[in-house]
Amino acid sequence: MREVAIIGVGATKFGELWDSSFRSIGIEAGMKAIEDANLSGSEIDGLFIGNMSAGRFINQKHIDALIADYSGMATNSIPATRVEAGGASGGVAFGQAVMAVASGMHNTVLVGGAEKMTDQDDVSINTAMDATADAEWEAGMGLTLASLYAMIARRMVYEGTATREEIASVAVNSHFHGALNPGAQFRKEVPLETVLKSGPVADPLGMFDCAPITDGAAAVVLCPLEEAKKHTDNYVKVSAFAQGSDTLALFQRPDITVFGATVAASRKAYEMAGIKASDISVAEIHDDFSVSGILALQDLGFYKKGEAGKAFLNGETRVGAGKIAINTSGGLKARGYPIGASGVAQIAEITDQLRGKADKRQVANAKYGLAQSVGGTGSAVTVSIMEAI
Amino acid sequence: MREVAIIGVGATKFGELWDSSFRSIGIEAGMKAIEDANLSGSEIDGLFIGNMSAGRFINQKHIDALIADYSGMATNSIPATRVEAGGASGGVAFGQAVMAVASGMHNTVLVGGAEKMTDQDDVSINTAMDATADAEWEAGMGLTLASLYAMIARRMVYEGTATREEIASVAVNSHFHGALNPGAQFRKEVPLETVLKSGPVADPLGMFDCAPITDGAAAVVLCPLEEAKKHTDNYVKVSAFAQGSDTLALFQRPDITVFGATVAASRKAYEMAGIKASDISVAEIHDDFSVSGILALQDLGFYKKGEAGKAFLNGETRVGAGKIAINTSGGLKARGYPIGASGVAQIAEITDQLRGKADKRQVANAKYGLAQSVGGTGSAVTVSIMEAI
């Protein structure tokens, strides 16, 4: 298995991009990543795209071919592959690309993630998102993704492993960092009181516990580690990629306050990278709902059960404050959540952190960074570990 | 790059499976393949799923997690990945699985394809299929997939590279073989007159030029070639997998009677396998419309432009009749076309041919077999080559 490097990253601004089409944002992110890698498009020999719902949102399936076409790469008949895994679509696309380079099947690969959501009506958005839960046993019974996560939050409070304030403080942490990220959808801090008092979505979760609806795209360029230096001095190593699954329906799990897929994928990733959880200095985690942040920090092994909420509340998850900085990009909550793009955007943020290009949100002396991407209620999870060179 | 073997295959019957759910057919095919490989489910360490439209058809995205869950493998947190490339979804899923084993990321992998279509209304089916063409420049203007293929057929007739009778005879060939396949949706021969006189769909294509709406699932199991013998004596080698892309919209191509993606992918595949087109004895090609069969035989290099139609019409593409047998399974036209399943079902048929398990449709002494899977109007094409051991 060849070792793999990330040699370029790019992203559009995240937000309500009403002047842009799905096509244009996909191309913009890809071109930025290719330029960042000092390549021309003709040097790319494989494309991987994470996208959840273009079939429903813009009546366009076959996004693989669309992006190959509109990037001009179809003229070279470039192999292009779209993967979908709900919210983990971008994370899984990244994993496929890592395999493609590691196997030698491809050499220089572009991974993109994109979603155009703000011009959709609420029914369309929610139908698409709820379809990542169990259609027969959950969505078909009226359960939404928000209400499923609300059940997890209630259970945590009932068991005493997190308080309502601790759960809300996950959103406060993301907004703290979002204020520092020029590409974020929401560039302002939000006090704990605002989250707690925000309009109810699914009790106990309010509006500010939920990631927003967002347009955006992100891309990264991969090549074999031994060739990275030919292109740039500014690259990072992909030390591990691992992926786990769990039951689609929440009720079938022994404990809904643990995402077994995160546990499994992260343990495998630490083993691949030859490190421990405590070696990670910066992580992007999938805070589609505030409560997911608590789950992530515990399941990834950063904190013991019952301790993650305290870390968010006392602010030690902020850049410069503790031993690990969480969601320096602003996370899904403040950077924004264009579903298929987020898993790739996380990789881009960790790459910038490890090569010292994260400006006001830069973590000092980070050697290892981690990205966690989640589909549904943890039924698919990817964990990637990157290493500074 | 490790060499890869196919050690087991399985498929449901293709047809109108009104007594089965999407979930049950996916599981049935997977279990058959696992049994055929003499494995238990716990020995599988990766899952890849080709599916086009479960999000639209059954409001279920995240099919990766669904299949992991319902096969019982989610309890092992097995990594599961869904890919979508329109009609090439199954072919692309197979390619991802080959990379997974070749790279060493996974060892024993199940690739499945499934689609449940017959309980959908026509609008839903056509909206989904047309979404594999260009949504803005084709489907948005009222063009359907059938009308796009009809334009290709008209152009061929105009240029004199195929007659209407030759185009229709692609369907005759598929039905000839479908009659021999107990798993096919249509197990009867169809005379040329019937195809020519069938009700118009998009002139000159009639009902019998178009593959049917089908429910079905197929699966294959892969492992490293050097480990295949541990499991079974009945395996084949994957000699090549290659993939190509083209413009999404037909009008943007220099010549609509050539699928450039098939040309590019097949040339790369022959090079990987170290063979020529003439070394192939049996091929499954993507006859979603009859005219696609002409394109395939020319673009794959089996026949010169203008000669493929003659081969279909004179019957030399039938098992035992000529130097290459085409669509011995019955192809998409007679075996049936459950979209995401077809690319995987083709691999299963070629595997059975190469290990002498194709019963009445067995090709004698086949050393190499090829499968071609197509998305949209050739905007994504996969070509796989398997080799008898």
Side-chain angles (χ1 to χ4, degrees):
Chain A
M1 195 150 90
R2 296 198 291 184
E3 292 191 303
V4 178
I6 300 172
I7 57 172
V9 309
T12 65
K13 185 171 169 27
F14 280 14
E16 296 185 351
L17 308 180
W18 291 353
D19 293 334
S20 304
S21 69
F22 178 87
R23 297 174 180 217
S24 64
I25 60 173
I27 301 311
E28 180 188 334
M31 289 305 166
K32 282 182 175 170
I34 289 171
E35 273 176 36
D36 186 39
N38 302 312
L39 295 172
S40 71
S42 62
E43 295 171 86
I44 302 288
D45 70 350
L47 271 179
F48 291 84
I49 313 293
N51 168 261
M52 188 178 80
S53 288
R56 183 181 291 271
F57 293 162
I58 60 167
N59 273 322
Q60 182 68 67
K61 294 200 153 291
H62 221 183
I63 296 306
D64 45 314
L66 176 80
I67 302 284
D69 183 1
Y70 278 70
S71 64
M73 296 184 200
T75 52
N76 298 329
S77 297
I78 191 169
T81 300
R82 175 213 169 188
V83 298
E84 182 267 323
S89 298
V92 175
F94 176 72
Q96 300 308 300
V98 170
M99 288 198 314
V101 176
S103 69
M105 189 77 89
H106 297 313
N107 209 61
T108 312
V109 167
L110 182 70
V111 196
E115 209 88 41
K116 191 80 172 72
M117 303 177 72
T118 65
D119 32 18
Q120 295 294 313
D121 61 76
D122 288 352
V123 172
S124 175
I125 296 273
N126 279 303
T127 306
M129 291 189 62
D130 298 344
T132 68
D134 190 308
E136 288 185 15
W137 293 104
E138 294 178 330
M141 306 296 174
L143 278 163
T144 62
L145 219 50
S147 60
L148 288 162
Y149 276 97
M151 289 186 201
I152 298 172
R154 271 181 177 271
R155 184 72 196 172
M156 280 184 184
V157 173
Y158 171 79
E159 289 184 349
T161 54
T163 64
R164 174 69 187 102
E165 288 70 24
E166 289 169 1
I167 291 170
S169 65
V170 176
V172 175
N173 176 76
S174 286
H175 273 274
F176 174 82
H177 290 126
L180 305 174
N181 183 356
Q185 183 167 9
F186 298 119
R187 297 198 59 199
K188 59 176 179 188
E189 290 193 48
V190 165
L192 184 61
E193 279 306 298
T194 304
V195 183
L196 292 172
K197 287 184 178 164
S198 62
V201 171
D203 192 57
L205 303 181
M207 170 80 96
F208 274 81
D209 291 280
C210 307
I213 305 301
T214 310
D215 305 324
V220 303
V221 178
L222 305 180
C223 80
L225 184 64
E226 60 182 25
E227 295 179 22
K229 244 193 161 44
K230 278 197 326 199
H231 303 295
T232 176
D233 292 329
N234 230 340
Y235 61 94
V236 306
K237 178 182 167 184
V238 181
S239 300
F241 172 83
Q243 188 178 338
S245 64
D246 205 338
T247 63
L248 203 49
L250 204 55
F251 77 90
Q252 292 180 313
R253 304 190 195 157
D255 179 355
I256 65 170
T257 66
V258 174
F259 277 179
T262 303
V263 175
S266 61
R267 297 314 176 269
K268 191 170 164 196
Y270 296 142
E271 189 190 324
M272 285 178 78
I275 63 170
K276 298 188 298 293
S278 56
D279 293 320
I280 306 286
S281 312
V282 54
E284 289 283 304
I285 53 114
H286 195 89
D287 59 328
D288 51 347
F289 297 95
S290 53
V291 63
S292 313
I294 312 271
L295 287 168
L297 263 51
Q298 295 174 168
D299 297 338
L300 290 166
F302 297 151
Y303 288 90
K304 292 206 178 83
K305 201 166 186 174
E307 301 298 320
K310 293 181 180 61
F312 279 112
L313 188 61
N314 73 26
E316 69 185 68
T317 53
R318 298 183 187 186
V319 55
K323 60 192 171 65
I324 180 165
I326 301 296
N327 283 358
T328 54
S329 71
L332 278 47
K333 175 66 191 81
R335 183 183 193 174
Y337 185 28
I339 299 180
S342 283
V344 181
Q346 292 177 321
I347 305 285
E349 173 72 9
I350 295 297
T351 300
D352 275 346
Q353 284 286 359
L354 295 178
R355 55 188 194 168
K357 293 180 73 173
D359 296 329
K360 290 185 184 166
R361 53 191 199 281
Q362 181 65 50
V363 174
N365 306 316
K367 174 76 175 163
Y368 292 99
L370 177 148
Q372 176 230 27
S373 188
V374 176
T377 49
S379 35
V381 175
T382 63
V383 172
S384 308
I385 297 175
M386 275 63 69
E387 181 179 347
I389 292 292
Chain B
M1 195 150 89
R2 297 198 291 185
E3 292 191 301
V4 178
I6 300 172
I7 56 172
V9 310
T12 64
K13 185 172 167 31
F14 281 14
E16 296 185 350
L17 309 180
W18 291 351
D19 293 335
S20 304
S21 68
F22 178 88
R23 297 173 181 217
S24 65
I25 60 173
I27 302 311
E28 181 188 333
M31 289 305 167
K32 282 181 176 172
I34 290 170
E35 275 175 34
D36 187 37
N38 303 311
L39 295 172
S40 69
S42 63
E43 294 172 88
I44 303 287
D45 69 350
L47 270 180
F48 291 84
I49 313 293
N51 168 262
M52 188 178 80
S53 287
R56 184 180 291 271
F57 293 161
I58 60 167
N59 272 322
Q60 182 69 67
K61 294 198 155 291
H62 220 184
I63 295 305
D64 45 312
L66 176 79
I67 302 284
D69 183 1
Y70 278 69
S71 63
M73 296 184 200
T75 51
N76 298 330
S77 297
I78 192 169
T81 299
R82 174 213 169 187
V83 297
E84 182 266 327
S89 298
V92 176
F94 177 72
Q96 299 309 300
V98 171
M99 287 198 314
V101 176
S103 68
M105 189 77 88
H106 296 313
N107 209 61
T108 312
V109 166
L110 182 70
V111 196
E115 210 87 42
K116 191 83 174 68
M117 303 176 71
T118 66
D119 31 18
Q120 294 294 312
D121 61 76
D122 288 352
V123 172
S124 176
I125 296 274
N126 279 303
T127 306
M129 291 189 62
D130 299 343
T132 70
D134 190 308
E136 288 185 16
W137 293 104
E138 294 178 329
M141 306 296 175
L143 279 162
T144 61
L145 218 51
S147 61
L148 288 163
Y149 276 97
M151 288 187 200
I152 297 173
R154 272 182 176 270
R155 183 73 197 174
M156 281 183 184
V157 173
Y158 171 80
E159 290 183 350
T161 54
T163 65
R164 175 69 187 100
E165 288 70 24
E166 289 170 1
I167 291 169
S169 66
V170 176
V172 177
N173 176 76
S174 286
H175 273 274
F176 174 82
H177 290 127
L180 305 174
N181 183 356
Q185 183 167 9
F186 298 119
R187 298 198 55 199
K188 59 177 179 188
E189 290 193 47
V190 165
L192 184 60
E193 279 307 299
T194 304
V195 183
L196 292 171
K197 287 184 177 165
S198 62
V201 171
D203 191 59
L205 303 180
M207 171 79 96
F208 274 81
D209 291 280
C210 307
I213 306 300
T214 311
D215 306 323
V220 303
V221 178
L222 305 180
C223 79
L225 184 63
E226 61 182 25
E227 294 179 20
K229 244 193 163 43
K230 279 198 325 200
H231 303 295
T232 177
D233 291 329
N234 231 340
Y235 61 94
V236 306
K237 177 182 167 183
V238 180
S239 299
F241 173 83
Q243 187 178 337
S245 63
D246 205 340
T247 63
L248 202 50
L250 203 55
F251 77 89
Q252 291 180 312
R253 304 188 196 159
D255 179 354
I256 66 170
T257 66
V258 174
F259 278 178
T262 303
V263 176
S266 60
R267 297 312 176 272
K268 191 170 164 198
Y270 296 141
E271 189 189 322
M272 284 177 79
I275 64 171
K276 297 189 298 292
S278 56
D279 294 319
I280 305 285
S281 312
V282 55
E284 290 282 306
I285 53 115
H286 195 91
D287 60 328
D288 50 347
F289 297 94
S290 53
V291 64
S292 315
I294 313 270
L295 288 168
L297 263 52
Q298 295 174 167
D299 298 338
L300 291 166
F302 298 150
Y303 289 90
K304 292 206 176 85
K305 200 165 187 175
E307 301 299 320
K310 294 181 178 63
F312 278 113
L313 188 61
N314 73 26
E316 68 185 69
T317 52
R318 297 181 188 188
V319 58
K323 59 189 171 69
I324 179 164
I326 301 295
N327 282 358
T328 55
S329 71
L332 277 47
K333 175 65 191 80
R335 183 182 193 176
Y337 185 27
I339 299 181
S342 283
V344 181
Q346 292 178 322
I347 305 285
E349 174 71 8
I350 295 296
T351 300
D352 274 346
Q353 285 285 0
L354 296 178
R355 55 187 194 170
K357 294 182 73 172
D359 296 329
K360 290 183 184 167
R361 53 191 200 281
Q362 181 66 49
V363 174
N365 305 316
K367 175 74 176 162
Y368 292 99
L370 177 148
Q372 176 229 26
S373 188
V374 176
T377 50
S379 34
V381 175
T382 63
V383 173
S384 309
I385 297 175
M386 275 64 68
E387 182 179 348
I389 293 292

